[in-house]
Amino acid sequence: MTRGHLDMAVSVPNYVSLDPGGTTGVCVFDSSTGKIETFQLGPQEHHLDLWVLLTTWDPDVVICEGFEYRNTARPGLILASKEYIGMAKLWCLLNGKDYIEQTAAMAKGFIPDKGPRANVVLKKLGWYSTAMKHANDATRHMVYWLVNGKHGLKAERDWILNKGFKP
């Protein structure tokens, strides 16, 4: 497991977002503190690591990037993301937790990762992780859900919109 900012002493998060794949990005959000932690699992197989983390944290909601096969083979293509998505779905089903699936386009359309506006919102929020692309993708999914999801977190939504999206 490659940890970014995560110290395992983090309080139990209410929400976890995943960017599943050969390297899985993880973003955890604790609504009692308003803080996030980000890190990455992999690139080695990390099925058990993911299961243990979900079981240990017992989040209320798991937000996950869905799988979109674009019918294109390329060098280094790893299709393990479906396995990690299935594990997250199964964990939620077995534990009575909400599973939310979002597309990559939803998150990257909301907070671009390329071009002149790349990662601007994440940086304004102080939620950008240098050299952790997959963790940043998971954070994009978390921010998208906190702003657009059905959860009742109005204060968090307003803070993100005011701090991250206003000039």
Side-chain angles (χ1 to χ4, degrees):
M1 173 178 358
T2 303
R3 292 192 183 116
H5 303 98
L6 187 68
D7 174 348
M8 292 309 282
V10 151
S11 60
V12 175
N14 302 90
Y15 311 102
V16 171
S17 61
L18 304 171
D19 173 44
T23 298
T24 294
V26 181
C27 176
V28 297
F29 178 74
D30 182 339
S31 65
S32 67
T33 64
K35 303 227 183 270
I36 70 154
E37 297 291 340
T38 62
F39 63 101
Q40 299 181 157
L41 300 173
Q44 74 285 356
E45 285 192 15
H46 48 275
H47 299 81
L48 185 57
D49 289 337
L50 178 58
W51 191 267
V52 167
L53 291 178
L54 291 173
T55 301
T56 301
W57 290 333
D58 193 32
D60 299 318
V61 178
V62 175
I63 303 117
C64 189
E65 181 175 299
F67 177 78
E68 298 172 59
Y69 183 65
R70 294 177 181 91
N71 204 22
T72 305
R74 66 185 192 290
L77 177 65
I78 299 172
L79 298 177
S81 59
K82 283 298 278 182
E83 295 175 21
Y84 299 115
I85 292 167
M87 289 184 63
K89 283 182 181 180
L90 178 61
W91 185 89
C92 288
L93 284 169
L94 291 174
N95 292 283
K97 306 298 180 158
D98 291 334
Y99 175 84
I100 308 292
E101 197 163 284
Q102 299 177 163
T103 66
M106 291 164 78
K108 289 183 180 183
F110 196 60
I111 303 172
D113 66 339
K114 293 182 176 122
R117 302 279 308 147
N119 301 307
V120 168
V121 170
L122 296 183
K123 289 174 182 175
K124 282 183 173 184
L125 296 173
W127 290 0
Y128 178 76
S129 299
T130 305
M132 293 212 326
K133 175 189 179 316
H134 302 288
N136 288 328
D137 287 344
T139 305
R140 268 182 253 290
H141 281 288
M142 182 65 73
V143 172
Y144 181 87
W145 184 78
L146 286 169
V147 170
N148 298 295
K150 295 179 182 171
H151 46 61
L153 299 170
K154 184 179 178 342
E156 290 82 352
R157 178 184 185 276
D158 291 346
W159 179 81
I160 289 168
L161 290 174
N162 287 324
K163 183 161 177 108
F165 289 89
K166 291 204 174 170

